Amino acid sequence: MPQKNYFDNDFLFGSAAAAYHFEGAWNKDGKGVAVADVVPGTQDKRTQKPEKGNLKHRAVEFYDRYKEDVALFGELGLRSFRTSIAWSRIYPTGIEEEPNEKGLEFYDNLFDELLSHGIEPVITITHSGEMPLYLADNYNGFANKEVIDYYTKFVQTVVERYQDKVRYWLTFNEVNGTQKEPFFYGGVSQEPDTITEELKCQVDHNMFVANSKAIEIIKSINSDLQIGCTTIQGLFYPLTSKPEDILQAYKDNRDRFFYTDIHVFGEYPSYKLKEFKDYGFDLDITDNELKLLKEHTVDFVAYSYYQSEVTKADSIDSASTVVNVDNDLKNPYLSYNEWDWSIDPVGLRTLANVLHDRYQLPQFIVENGHSQIEKLEEDEHGNLTVEDDYRIYTLREHLIQLNKALEDGVNIIGYTNWAVMDFVSGTTGTMEKRWGFIYVDFHDDLTGTMKRYKKKSFDWYKRVIESNGEYLGNS
């Protein structure tokens, strides 16, 4: 029996990207060097300066090809498209008095192009890896409170400029990534072995303050604009029903929700304050900052969901870190992709319900997808494509579970899968890890035509959107 469809006509079916992943033109039209420009491979392993071989410098040339790409997005039928504004394209070092007009003009043109195809821009003000390198190397990124002011100047500039074109704003991308990768997510450029857990918590606090200041600025410009801040989410399941494992899973989930707790509730939970005290952390937190956090909170909960995880009581040394770390435990009830990520569509429904009960705010799933090593092949008509049935299956199962979450009563306003097209992977720095509905002929050895080809999933997702989700019950 077909599942009843609960997606309403306003649901923002969409897809996503981010500036450093796909724009390229890393030093064109006045753009400055960004953190990602010195991270050629896996995140947080940098070079001292930009070097040849960093695929992000060219990426997939969206900066120069945006019109043809947005035309494809329009053909796909996207209702929304999430991307970011490259901070160093607007303020090349971050400390300029005046913004780079060429950079501002690019995003004016991009947003106009999206809107002309009926696509709602969902804009991350700064994605991970996009801080101007100058702020990282000369100020130590968000370890330094001065950077908050440079960030909020950037916020003021772009929101004033684009307030009539962009309704949905995200202040940061996946802010809870700072604990594992403080350089890539927070611009902390001091030697990695000198970065203490206390400093990471200070960085988090400074980014909380920056988030609330950004909300204050955005609402003062236009109170109707909607604001979120993305985190990485995915529930921890206890490995067994052993009470100690259940307690560990509870604590791990609480740590994962910590960032969103502050974004929504505007205050530090008591357990976290106790942790700071127990660890002897002496953070620079002022009463005015705590007041700011309380008064300026998000309008919706935005998050990336790729997988769930399992945990057990003795999986880590609990004294080693304030925030629990990922582990190598496997869930025997789930399959895993070639990157060793679990595939858990039901986990998305469960998570959506948990977040609904916890926050009572609208939710926006801004990243969720399937990556695989792929190559072009001829279809039955002789056209080059990718027969990516595995992507169709994975996305379909996740969207079916989203539909069930809507049936449960969860308020979900949109879904922008990762990703609309192939581009440079953030976790590997390669092209071989492909995410998109659109294949881009560009490879890790810098060869390729850059031609775009529609994968099988392109037509499938188009039908899903055209049917407002109804097709999910029949495909």
Side-chain angles (χ1 to χ4, degrees):
M1 181 175 178
Q3 171 74 25
K4 184 177 177 182
N5 184 26
Y6 289 89
F7 292 103
D8 63 38
N9 292 328
D10 296 324
F11 188 84
L12 290 172
F13 282 108
S15 198
Y20 91 79
H21 286 279
F22 78 149
E23 281 184 6
W26 73 282
N27 59 357
K28 188 173 181 178
D29 292 336
K31 181 184 176 295
V33 181
V35 163
D37 293 323
V38 296
V39 182
T42 55
Q43 295 168 354
D44 249 32
K45 293 184 180 178
R46 66 167 294 178
T47 57
Q48 284 306 112
K49 60 183 182 180
E51 293 184 355
K52 290 181 179 179
N54 186 336
L55 297 182
K56 298 160 191 171
H57 293 171
R58 187 180 178 192
V60 294
E61 298 181 348
F62 179 80
Y63 185 81
D64 295 306
R65 297 170 177 258
Y66 73 91
K67 286 192 176 183
E68 68 173 278
D69 286 335
V70 172
L72 276 172
F73 303 168
E75 184 183 343
L76 182 56
L78 298 185
R79 296 179 185 174
S80 63
F81 177 60
R82 178 195 172 210
T83 189
S84 62
I85 297 172
W87 187 348
S88 63
R89 212 177 278 290
I90 309 304
Y91 288 102
T93 67
I95 67 170
E96 289 82 4
E97 289 295 320
E98 298 297 328
N100 173 27
E101 183 60 28
K102 283 280 190 183
L104 290 170
E105 286 175 0
F106 169 71
Y107 293 104
D108 263 323
N109 295 334
L110 172 58
F111 300 156
D112 287 343
E113 198 71 20
L114 289 167
L115 292 167
S116 74
H117 285 83
I119 301 171
E120 179 98 41
V122 178
I123 300 304
T124 308
I125 293 173
T126 186
H127 201 83
S128 45
E130 293 178 3
M131 176 184 285
L133 184 64
Y134 185 90
L135 291 179
D137 282 349
N138 291 275
Y139 289 81
N140 207 23
F142 277 108
N144 185 336
K145 289 193 177 187
E146 287 184 67
V147 171
I148 297 172
D149 293 331
Y150 291 121
Y151 168 74
T152 53
K153 179 176 67 173
F154 170 51
V155 172
Q156 181 101 26
T157 298
V158 297
V159 177
E160 283 183 346
R161 179 84 169 216
Y162 308 125
Q163 61 175 303
D164 295 328
K165 301 178 182 183
V166 178
R167 286 191 298 165
Y168 293 95
W169 294 90
L170 302 164
T171 54
F172 291 104
N173 175 68
E174 297 182 344
V175 286
N176 47 346
T178 53
Q179 287 288 323
K180 289 184 68 177
E181 295 164 356
F183 175 62
F184 202 78
Y185 285 87
V188 182
S189 66
Q190 67 188 72
E191 288 298 320
D193 60 3
T194 70
I195 299 173
T196 63
E197 298 298 329
E198 181 177 23
L199 179 63
K200 291 179 185 178
C201 291
Q202 185 67 58
V203 170
D204 286 339
H205 174 75
N206 294 347
M207 293 181 76
F208 292 143
V209 172
N211 171 71
S212 286
K213 283 191 171 184
I215 293 171
E216 181 180 30
I217 289 167
I218 296 168
K219 290 296 187 180
S220 71
I221 293 170
N222 185 336
S223 61
D224 292 332
L225 300 179
Q226 297 296 291
I227 311 163
C229 182
T230 89
T231 57
I232 303 162
Q233 292 297 339
L235 293 173
F236 285 92
Y237 303 144
L239 184 63
T240 73
S241 57
K242 181 180 175 182
E244 289 82 359
D245 287 354
I246 293 171
L247 177 61
Q248 185 66 51
Y250 173 81
K251 289 181 176 181
D252 290 346
N253 284 315
R254 187 175 64 177
D255 279 335
R256 184 153 279 178
F257 297 146
F258 161 65
Y259 294 78
T260 310
D261 283 353
I262 291 191
H263 296 153
V264 174
F265 301 133
E267 59 187 18
Y268 279 88
S270 58
Y271 79 88
K272 188 60 66 174
L273 294 175
K274 183 178 185 300
E275 282 182 0
F276 294 163
K277 183 178 179 181
D278 290 347
Y279 282 94
F281 291 173
D282 183 20
L283 302 182
D284 181 6
I285 299 176
T286 70
D287 290 341
N288 283 339
E289 289 169 347
L290 293 176
K291 183 172 182 286
L292 186 81
L293 298 187
K294 190 67 177 176
E295 292 178 349
H296 302 288
T297 56
V298 296
D299 297 308
F300 61 93
V301 173
Y303 56 94
S304 305
Y305 175 81
Y306 289 103
Q307 61 178 325
S308 61
E309 298 174 69
V310 289
T311 189
K312 63 178 182 177
D314 58 349
S315 62
I316 64 164
D317 174 5
S318 61
S320 66
T321 179
V322 175
V323 177
N324 205 345
V325 296
D326 297 339
N327 56 57
D328 295 326
L329 297 174
K330 291 289 186 70
N331 188 329
Y333 300 99
L334 297 178
S335 60
Y336 287 75
N337 68 16
E338 57 194 302
W339 317 108
D340 224 19
W341 294 13
S342 70
I343 301 172
D344 184 9
V346 175
L348 178 56
R349 178 187 181 184
T350 308
L351 174 66
N353 273 275
V354 170
L355 296 177
H356 178 73
D357 292 344
R358 192 177 186 95
Y359 301 123
Q360 295 292 305
L361 283 180
Q363 295 178 35
F364 204 137
I365 294 91
V366 294
E367 289 187 33
N368 167 250
H370 181 96
S371 60
Q372 194 143 326
I373 296 173
E374 297 172 325
K375 62 181 181 179
L376 287 171
E377 53 190 350
E378 285 191 2
D379 65 14
E380 57 186 349
H381 305 294
N383 299 314
L384 289 174
T385 187
V386 176
E387 300 283 342
D388 57 342
D389 291 307
Y390 41 81
R391 180 170 291 107
I392 293 171
Y393 172 79
T394 302
L395 294 183
R396 177 179 179 269
E397 293 303 306
H398 280 85
L399 285 168
I400 286 172
Q401 293 300 322
L402 267 195
N403 185 51
K404 291 181 179 180
L406 291 168
E407 180 182 12
D408 296 334
V410 179
N411 182 4
I412 305 170
I413 58 177
Y415 170 90
T416 54
N417 91 296
W418 194 264
V420 67
M421 63 195 301
D422 295 343
F423 45 56
V424 182
S425 164
T427 51
T428 65
T430 66
M431 284 295 301
E432 75 168 356
K433 188 177 186 181
R434 294 180 178 269
W435 290 92
F437 298 121
I438 301 164
Y439 183 95
V440 180
D441 184 27
F442 183 50
H443 307 281
D444 294 347
D445 62 0
L446 302 176
T447 62
T449 65
M450 284 289 178
K451 285 187 68 175
R452 276 64 163 147
Y453 299 89
K454 291 179 283 187
K455 301 179 187 178
K456 185 177 181 180
S457 59
F458 183 101
D459 292 324
W460 171 82
Y461 195 46
K462 177 177 178 152
R463 293 184 69 177
V464 170
I465 299 172
E466 284 176 342
S467 70
N468 199 42
E470 196 76 42
Y471 182 61
L472 290 168
N474 304 309
S475 59

